[in-house]
Amino acid sequence: MDLKYVSTTCPYCGTGCGFNLVVRDGKVVDVAHWQRAPVNGGKLCPKGRYAHEFINSPDRLTKPLIKKNGTFVEATWDEAYDLIIQKFRSYKPEEMACLSSARTSNEENYLMQKFARVVLKTPHIDHCARLCHSSTVAGLAAVFGSGAMTNSIKDIAESKCVFVLGSNTFEQHPLIGRSIIRARESGAKVIVADPRYTPTAKQADLYMPFISGTDVALLNGLMQEIIKNGWEDKEFIKNRTKDFEKLKEVVMKEDYSLENVSRVSGVPAESLKTAAEWIATADVAALIYSMGITQHTVGVDNVKSTANLMLLTGNLGKPGSGVNPLRGQNNVQGACDMGALPNVYSGYQKVTDEAAQKKMKEMWGVDELAEGKVGYTVTEMINVLAEKPGEIKCMYIMGENPMLSDPDIQHVEEGLKNLEFLVVQDIFMTETAELADVVLPAACYAEKDGTQTNTERRVQRWRKAQNPPGEAKPDWQILCELGSRMGYEKQFSFKSPEEIFDEIAAVTPSYHGMSYARLDPDGLHWPCPTAEHPGTPILHRETFAMPDGLGVFSPIEWKPPAEVPDAEYPYVLTTGRTIWQWHTGTMTRRSWSLEKEAPIGWIEINPEDAEELGIKNNEVVRASTRRGSVEIPARVTPEIIKGVMFIPFHYKE
């Protein structure tokens, strides 16, 4: 018997925990703790602990499939490639679009955006960050000049006050929750604002149940209270920021008095007062948020408001401080860094900037690239497909499942069915793959080398532990083979992910100093501009990434949500994860240890609402929105506020 341990990085959330894959006779059979893993020190949440169970699932895709007369037929790689190339060549660049993936490696995301721009010459390239943290990138970039988490996960443990908003950290990023507990054990105060009394809220010294969509009002109220008491960091504001007077003009309005904010948000004025004092008077305070504040029509406003609060209190550029957005998917940060976005090349170099276009042409050795304009986002692609059939005719999707993950699934289905040609590359036959004309079988994280970038900007290694099943291939290899066959052999001649990473480092300023050798064993935080640079766990220590080095206060007025309850739909629906499942369930629902813990969804209802509606606990009810209905068991619980209901979003049923 041949037994070995292969160290790698977890494929689930953005925390970036490390573990060992246990390989027996060439097959992954278990996960073992890797005690010196830099982020998690050997500890794992349930998803990491059982991250081996889906790998050898019997329904993995193993051969290319071509749809003939509505039915998939097995094909050879040559047949699949020939059909794809013939079709790709029959469309104009503007008629094609690509979706990359926060589930795949940096190398594969880099290649997908290069393939779109060099081979297909289309500007339409995006991935699922659009649906989770695009508002973070836009909001924080406008204030700090960079859209990334400012501090490290380890840093949180040094904070003296941790404010968690729009994040159920203990279920969604459990090993980051561990840093919050460490801070609390060292005397930090923990504040949690959430409509639900989540496992995270249960750890708080101050829990503020509030009405979803009132984040800006709440944050403005805290800032007014801080300024009224003279608690703002005057020195920091004077030396490191601008436009403070503009902020003051807005947040000091009567609208944002604690009494008015209490009426709007549902948080008692006394709690708001306590929160403001704790945040402002702590030696150092950290703000943590996640998709609870970004997935709103006013997501960018919410993000800017969190940044305003931290600028106001001088909580940036030092350990235990910062604005810390927790990325959802394992490689959302990396996919953005790699330029799998319609507006930037890798390293956030703007596609509209002529110097950046010239640089990429030279680095990639081509005379022509996709037009230097911002392409469609994934949501725009779906809208165009559904509302303007024929404008986009062909799509290439790698590792994304918009048929479950995008909003308004009927709209997505209508859009995708309007395509003339769809290629989907994945490890399982997903709901999106079922609509494809060609399905290509890909390798999962355990079957390839590569890197991913976690929420704290740490670039870490994946290491191959077993071969892919059947004829499946790593995504990078498929992209290289397609690119070469389409006449770009020189641009896609890579023989390994390491070679691809070396090109990434050459073209991406924030990754310049990185190499596979330097990433072992602990990874590096970008920016890492030179081969001698130690990496940057904390951003904005001396200056912000703005031309003048100053952070910019952005005064924001609170706006109610785009859809508010009315007589026909009197309740607010909020969604989120449970600790046992992951996003669309493609991997966790094939992991029996996880699936048995939470096999079905539910709707959480406050007891007062349940009584008014005549609903009993565990009773199956029909929940309807303006977009559709679902039959689902009720979970009657005081752990959600009246007027708000919650459904986890993992279940296709």
Side-chain angles (χ1 to χ4, degrees):
M1 182 177 73
D2 178 35
L3 190 69
K4 63 177 178 176
Y5 289 81
V6 179
S7 302
T8 194
T9 309
C10 183
Y12 283 112
C13 80
T15 306
C17 297
F19 52 66
N20 285 314
L21 287 170
V22 182
V23 187
R24 187 169 63 216
D25 298 332
K27 282 269 183 243
V28 173
V29 293
D30 206 349
V31 160
H33 298 285
W34 178 24
Q35 300 301 350
R36 68 162 325 284
V39 175
N40 56 310
K43 305 285 189 290
L44 290 170
C45 84
K47 287 186 283 287
R49 174 62 192 87
Y50 299 110
H52 62 290
E53 290 189 347
F54 72 87
I55 294 171
N56 293 306
S57 188
D59 61 342
R60 282 285 302 276
L61 291 169
T62 58
K63 279 183 184 295
L65 302 170
I66 293 175
K67 195 173 273 175
K68 294 180 180 172
N69 303 321
T71 306
F72 282 117
V73 178
E74 287 184 356
T76 65
W77 277 100
D78 284 339
E79 286 168 334
Y81 284 154
D82 288 346
L83 176 60
I84 291 167
I85 291 162
Q86 175 211 326
K87 290 288 191 180
F88 281 0
R89 284 186 172 144
S90 71
Y91 298 111
K92 297 177 190 142
E94 279 287 322
E95 296 172 335
M96 294 191 273
C98 295
L99 283 186
S100 203
S101 173
R103 317 291 305 136
T104 61
S105 68
N106 286 325
E107 293 78 1
E108 290 158 339
N109 279 290
Y110 174 79
L111 280 193
M112 181 53 120
Q113 62 92 27
K114 182 177 177 180
F115 184 87
R117 290 171 169 134
V118 169
V119 181
L120 304 182
K121 310 243 179 318
T122 179
H124 307 317
I125 164 81
D126 201 11
H127 76 287
C128 70
R130 180 72 39 216
L131 308 169
C132 52
H133 273 293
S134 59
S135 34
T136 288
V137 175
L140 294 188
V143 180
F144 304 147
S146 161
M149 181 167 166
T150 63
N151 287 55
S152 74
I153 293 166
K154 208 157 118 189
D155 251 18
I156 295 164
E158 296 185 43
S159 187
K160 292 300 163 202
C161 178
V162 182
F163 180 24
V164 183
L165 177 67
S167 165
N168 177 12
T169 317
F170 284 76
E171 285 200 88
Q172 295 171 349
H173 301 89
L175 273 298
I176 297 178
R178 190 165 168 250
S179 283
I180 297 174
I181 289 297
R182 284 178 156 174
R184 194 166 177 234
E185 284 171 349
S186 302
K189 297 283 192 209
V190 176
I191 304 164
V192 177
D194 198 304
R196 299 171 66 221
Y197 190 50
T198 62
T200 312
K202 288 170 187 170
Q203 300 296 331
D205 299 286
L206 174 63
Y207 167 54
M208 301 194 292
F210 78 114
I211 297 160
S212 191
T214 60
D215 309 77
V216 169
L218 189 146
L219 290 160
N220 281 356
L222 296 179
M223 287 188 270
Q224 182 180 118
E225 181 67 8
I226 287 165
I227 294 168
K228 264 187 180 169
N229 286 282
W231 292 329
E232 72 273 23
D233 189 331
K234 297 173 186 67
E235 198 66 20
F236 187 90
I237 292 166
K238 184 175 136 214
N239 298 329
R240 296 208 47 196
T241 72
K242 63 184 183 188
D243 295 346
F244 172 59
E245 291 305 323
K246 290 183 186 171
L247 175 88
K248 204 168 161 183
E249 209 176 300
V250 169
V251 303
M252 297 313 286
K253 287 180 179 175
E254 183 55 28
D255 300 7
Y256 304 116
S257 69
L258 294 190
E259 290 66 32
N260 283 334
V261 169
S262 178
R263 265 196 296 278
V264 167
S265 67
V267 179
E270 208 43 53
S271 295
L272 292 166
K273 196 178 176 61
T274 303
E277 186 173 353
W278 285 0
I279 293 163
T281 59
D283 288 345
V284 63
L287 190 146
I288 292 173
Y289 74 79
S290 194
M291 286 174 270
I293 75 164
T294 59
Q295 293 191 335
H296 291 260
T297 50
V298 291
V300 175
D301 288 356
N302 291 345
V303 169
K304 285 179 175 174
S305 297
T306 65
N308 286 337
L309 178 63
M310 293 289 104
L311 282 178
L312 183 70
T313 53
N315 277 303
L316 286 152
K318 53 191 178 185
S321 72
V323 179
N324 300 293
L326 306 184
R327 305 300 198 219
Q329 303 272 23
N330 60 317
N331 203 24
V332 154
Q333 184 64 59
C336 293
D337 295 346
M338 293 302 106
L341 296 166
N343 60 328
V344 289
Y345 303 117
S346 67
Y348 308 96
Q349 301 170 89
K350 289 189 170 78
V351 297
T352 52
D353 178 26
E354 282 182 27
Q357 291 166 27
K358 185 169 179 284
K359 172 186 167 178
M360 296 324 258
K361 281 180 191 171
E362 284 170 7
M363 298 298 276
W364 287 339
V366 291
D367 299 325
E368 204 190 341
L369 275 183
E371 197 185 337
K373 68 169 193 179
V374 177
Y376 287 137
T377 64
V378 58
T379 40
E380 287 167 341
M381 287 175 199
I382 299 297
N383 288 342
V384 168
L385 285 171
E387 292 152 26
K388 300 178 190 169
E391 190 177 317
I392 296 175
K393 296 177 179 173
C394 167
M395 263 183 110
Y396 182 10
I397 298 177
M398 171 177 77
E400 294 270 275
N401 189 11
M403 273 296 294
L404 265 191
S405 59
D406 286 27
D408 198 352
I409 286 163
Q410 285 149 329
H411 184 61
V412 176
E413 185 171 6
E414 183 193 346
L416 293 179
K417 283 183 172 172
N418 282 338
L419 283 165
E420 289 179 13
F421 189 65
L422 173 61
V423 179
V424 172
Q425 192 165 301
D426 217 313
I427 62 174
F428 292 110
M429 179 60 79
T430 63
E431 291 71 18
T432 305
E434 283 165 10
L435 301 178
D437 297 285
V438 179
V439 176
L440 300 177
C444 78
Y445 81 105
E447 296 154 355
K448 56 191 174 187
D449 290 310
T451 60
Q452 68 180 45
T453 306
N454 77 343
T455 188
E456 59 175 356
R457 297 169 285 102
R458 189 193 293 262
V459 184
Q460 296 171 279
R461 288 287 313 277
W462 277 352
R463 291 174 187 82
K464 182 177 173 177
Q466 68 168 41
N467 287 323
E471 294 173 24
K473 297 180 181 188
D475 295 283
W476 69 265
Q477 191 181 332
I478 299 170
L479 285 161
C480 284
E481 288 171 358
L482 266 178
S484 297
R485 286 177 181 230
M486 288 189 75
Y488 290 89
E489 196 172 350
K490 186 165 151 279
Q491 288 76 12
F492 289 86
S493 60
F494 304 104
K495 298 287 178 280
S496 69
E498 186 169 7
E499 282 185 17
I500 304 166
F501 191 82
D502 290 342
E503 180 170 302
I504 291 168
V507 304
T508 313
S510 50
Y511 283 62
H512 269 340
M514 296 188 192
S515 63
Y516 271 25
R518 288 201 71 204
L519 294 179
D520 281 332
D522 291 343
L524 285 164
H525 296 85
W526 67 254
C528 178
T530 65
E532 298 70 45
H533 195 282
T536 314
I538 300 175
L539 295 178
H540 319 307
R541 275 187 181 270
E542 306 295 330
T543 58
F544 290 99
M546 292 295 206
D548 59 5
L550 299 175
V552 186
F553 279 108
S554 309
I556 305 289
E557 293 278 13
W558 174 68
K559 300 182 202 78
E563 281 186 4
V564 292
D566 60 17
E568 199 180 350
Y569 295 97
Y571 305 102
V572 170
L573 172 67
T574 181
T575 65
R577 301 187 202 127
T578 161
I579 195 169
W580 306 105
Q581 296 287 6
W582 185 254
H583 286 223
T584 64
T586 310
M587 302 187 318
T588 50
R589 302 198 71 190
R590 289 175 170 87
S591 303
W592 65 271
S593 300
L594 299 171
E595 176 69 355
K596 72 178 173 27
E597 296 292 343
I600 55 169
W602 65 88
I603 181 166
E604 284 179 16
I605 305 175
N606 178 279
E608 286 180 52
D609 290 329
E611 195 176 330
E612 277 172 28
L613 295 164
I615 291 170
K616 292 190 167 52
N617 194 37
N618 293 326
E619 184 181 349
V620 175
V621 299
R622 177 178 291 131
S624 299
T625 71
R626 293 177 177 91
R627 282 160 200 84
S629 297
V630 61
E631 296 202 347
I632 192 165
R635 190 177 281 184
V636 178
T637 171
E639 294 183 352
I640 190 161
I641 64 172
K642 188 178 182 321
V644 177
M645 299 186 184
F646 168 86
I647 299 179
F649 57 51
H650 313 288
Y651 302 93
K652 64 182 177 185
E653 299 90 334

